[in-house]
Amino acid sequence: MEGICWPCNAEKEVLGNAPLLAQEGKAMQRPEAGKPIIKFNHCQKYIYSFSVPPCCPLCRQDVGSRKLEEAPVSIPNPFTDGHQEECSFLLRPTQGTFLREYDGRSDLHVGITNTNGVVYNYTVHGVQRDKAGWGQSVSIPLLQPGMFGLMDQWDKYLEDFSTTGAWLPHRYEEDHHNCYSYALKFINCVLATQGEERLDRDEFTEKFVIPRTRKASKYIMLYRMIEEHGFYVIEPPGPQTSPRPGSGSC
């Protein structure tokens, strides 16, 4: 899939208000994708690892928590088993997985799930209906909670849309008529049934894809550093300082 680059820090994170699309943070986190990451405090540092060691890797002292704020916490995993997600937009690398092979420049593949977790996706071979292969995906739920009427019609809409002539194998073009075109066109068809305005490619990417992929990018970096070194250490944020009287800040 061309057209979605892994986000950089300069990109603006904006959430949309489209009634159809669920907002950031609504997807359920599931344990399938890699080992869990744990953060704990010691030596006045934030230390990340796959488990809490008996001794601090910096000072070799016991890491037993004495204060509530020092208790270990689990870092939310941005990846999910796409086949456990219903009525969602999914992203995964075309080859390999995010945590292992993805380098931030490789192509991504996208699809739409039905209510049973079957992933509909458009390829050079036409529309595929995958029951496996999306076990480590970024998931963007497409329905707000309580939209039961639309959910009841979702599978029929998706199947009818996928059997139109627009998605025959010979119509596939890598740059202009691809998996992303298919997914976004379906989303806009559903929006139209609800009397909502369509989303163009840039708008959908900025409002719904980039916030998820930004979190995933940070998680991949952290995960690989822990795999390489056994742990990863950062300085905690410094105390907030108040502006001096008369500085003009408001």
Side-chain angles (χ1 to χ4, degrees):
M1 177 196 72
E2 300 290 340
I4 293 184
C5 298
W6 213 243
C8 64
N9 291 335
E11 290 174 314
K12 184 179 180 182
E13 181 171 337
V14 181
L15 290 179
N17 295 318
L20 170 67
L21 294 161
Q23 298 298 310
E24 173 71 9
K26 296 296 184 182
M28 292 178 64
Q29 300 297 333
R30 301 185 185 274
E32 289 87 348
K35 293 172 281 189
I37 295 179
I38 305 297
K39 182 185 80 170
F40 62 96
N41 300 348
H42 209 266
C43 296
Q44 298 183 325
K45 302 286 193 295
Y46 289 160
I47 304 174
Y48 296 84
S49 65
F50 293 134
S51 62
V52 180
C55 299
C56 172
L58 302 178
C59 69
R60 313 309 301 174
Q61 298 297 311
D62 178 45
V63 298
S65 297
R66 297 178 177 83
K67 300 177 182 178
L68 180 61
E69 61 267 23
E70 295 176 352
V73 296
S74 178
I75 302 301
N77 190 332
F79 305 114
T80 184
D81 180 354
H83 299 290
Q84 298 295 320
E85 303 294 327
E86 57 184 17
C87 308
S88 296
F89 175 96
L90 301 182
L91 301 93
R92 67 166 173 80
T94 301
Q95 301 292 330
T97 65
F98 280 117
L99 291 176
R100 295 295 181 187
E101 293 84 8
Y102 190 70
D103 62 4
R105 297 180 299 275
S106 306
D107 286 343
L108 296 174
H109 190 46
V110 307
I112 302 286
T113 61
N114 69 6
T115 59
N116 296 309
V118 177
V119 185
Y120 284 61
N121 58 101
Y122 184 51
T123 74
V124 68
H125 303 293
V127 176
Q128 307 300 301
R129 296 159 178 82
D130 295 340
K131 296 181 179 179
W134 296 74
Q136 191 181 107
S137 304
V138 172
S139 176
I140 302 171
L142 297 174
L143 295 186
Q144 296 282 6
M147 300 185 74
F148 302 115
L150 182 53
M151 181 176 289
D152 287 343
Q153 297 296 314
W154 188 268
D155 290 356
K156 183 180 187 304
Y157 287 158
L158 186 55
E159 185 63 33
D160 289 349
F161 174 81
S162 300
T163 55
T164 62
W167 313 112
L168 292 172
H170 71 275
R171 301 290 300 275
Y172 184 88
E173 295 180 18
E174 184 175 357
D175 295 333
H176 304 294
H177 194 71
N178 51 30
C179 61
Y180 201 72
S181 309
Y182 165 84
L184 185 57
K185 179 68 173 178
F186 174 73
I187 291 169
N188 279 322
C189 285
V190 176
L191 283 171
T193 68
Q194 305 300 300
E196 303 294 339
E197 293 185 3
R198 67 182 299 277
L199 295 166
D200 65 30
R201 187 187 187 102
D202 291 341
E203 183 182 11
F204 179 77
T205 301
E206 181 181 11
K207 290 180 177 179
F208 297 101
V209 177
I210 286 177
R212 303 293 178 116
T213 56
R214 180 179 289 115
K215 290 182 179 180
S217 180
K218 293 177 181 178
Y219 191 91
I220 291 170
M221 181 277 295
L222 183 59
Y223 192 96
R224 291 177 179 174
M225 291 296 291
I226 296 171
E227 276 202 319
E228 181 177 356
H229 302 289
F231 61 93
Y232 184 70
V233 181
I234 67 170
E235 296 282 347
Q240 296 288 334
T241 57
S242 300
R244 294 178 298 173
S247 64
S249 299
C250 60

